Amino acid sequence: MKIQAAKVIVTCPGRNFVTLKIVTDQGVHGIGDATLNGRELSVVSYLEDHVIPCLIGRDPRQIEDIWQYLYRGAYWRRGPVTMSAIAAVDTALWDIKAKMANMPLYDLLGGKSREGVMVYGHANGGDLEETIDAVGHYIEMGYKAIRAQSGVPGIKDAYGVGRGKLFYEPADASLPSETVWDTPKYLRFVPKLFETLRDTYGFDHHLLHDAHHRLTPIEAGRLGKDLEPYRLFWLEDTTPAENQESFKLIRQHTTTPLAVGEIFNTIWDCKDLIQNQLIDYIRTTVVRAGGITHLRRIADLAAIYQVRTGSHGATDLSPVTMGAALHFDSWVPNFGIQEYMRHTEETDAVFPHAYRFEDGFLFPGDTIGHGVDIDEKLAEKYPYKRAYLPVARLEDGTMWNW
Ligand code: CS2
Ligand code: MG
């Protein structure tokens, strides 16, 4: 059996997606997501110019060998571009293998460990009142877990505040838009937000929050401590994770559970935080961290330390990543939660998929493979549109972490 052809499909049904399609000489095809938000075309080139020529003629059944070949063989290891490209190949090959085995991917991985995958949705509003209402709306929709982000008095564009009831899409400008950040205002506001949420809705739902890398370690410690009475499911990305030592400081000050890892690419990025028990949830997902093959290694390492998974699932992870992640989540023994930011109808139409939402859970469906495909004809109708994530500055103009 041989890989006969592979091609990259770029489409923008409301936002950009990069998809790899691999076809075998026996007519089976698999697809993988290669979307890297704001840097999409670098992965297109990596795949078309450097990976696809090496794939043609290889045996698609040898997923592990192909993974090692692409990882070790590049000499230049890790990094988001490389690992997104490897992930796309790996996801497509697992899709093919599961189709050949006539099984849903979760069966090939070892079978279901649970019936449904608990997801959290994104409730957000321009101010406290709007955010309280938005959380109520998610509760009505059946969500068991809800992330709350809110506009902060005195801050013009706080992170995570969307433009509609169900959708939040930060990469929406052809050049990065500039936002202004003020930590003291944010730190004063967030505990009030969660206090009001608990007063309004009680403690029956899981609440989550994302600080999006804005804080210093000691500020993160203080926020975690201030939020303890409201029993968050997790507090995410409090501080940039390049210097992982700094998480020791945060841990000394708070028992609020911590989640990190959506921008990590390999097990090497996760290892110290996991082994030192400095986090509670690891957020790596299929496209960002080398596909199913590598994500499985990260999850197994995490399991030893009782760290659970909480895969990234923002809209820049295409339905292909969501489908593959749901099969992974259904199997992985140390599953925690799955992020679920809904895609638009346009996106869903381009990527027909077997997964469905019901009562706070996503179900991967029983279709063979990972259950997601691409409608190439429809995809052609939406040409690539350059789009960037915003940047953030402090009030005096200093660049900060968006
Ligand atoms: C976020 C993302 O979902 C999350 O937790 O941090 O919205 C993130 O900003 C985007 O995925 C960036 O592309
Ligand atoms: Mg996040």
Side-chain angles (χ1 to χ4, degrees), residues 24 98 162 219 245 309 386 391:
T24 72
E219 289 164 349
E245 285 275 308
T309 65
R386 194 179 66 201
V391 296

Side-chain angles (χ1 to χ4, degrees), residues 102-157:
N102 201 25
M103 287 178 185
L105 178 56
Y106 61 72
D107 264 340
L108 198 58
L109 291 172
K112 277 196 221 172
S113 301
R114 58 197 55 78
E115 284 311 312
V117 170
M118 183 170 71
V119 297
Y120 69 92
H122 283 211
N124 56 73
D127 58 22
L128 190 121
E129 260 175 37
E130 263 183 46
T131 309
I132 304 296
D133 287 352
V135 170
H137 180 57
Y138 273 81
I139 292 175
E140 278 164 25
M141 285 190 290
Y143 282 83
K144 314 280 178 246
I146 302 149
R147 176 183 112 155
Q149 305 291 140
S150 173
V152 175
I155 299 184
K156 219 178 104 247
D157 317 276

Side-chain angles (χ1 to χ4, degrees), residues 120 122 147 149 159 209-213 234 236-237 262 283 312 314 339:
Y120 69 92
H122 283 211
R147 176 183 112 155
Q149 305 291 140
Y159 161 77
H209 183 71
D210 188 349
H212 222 256
H213 325 270
W234 80 36
E236 175 183 338
D237 284 342
E262 68 182 38
R283 296 223 344 106
H312 191 198
E339 180 179 16

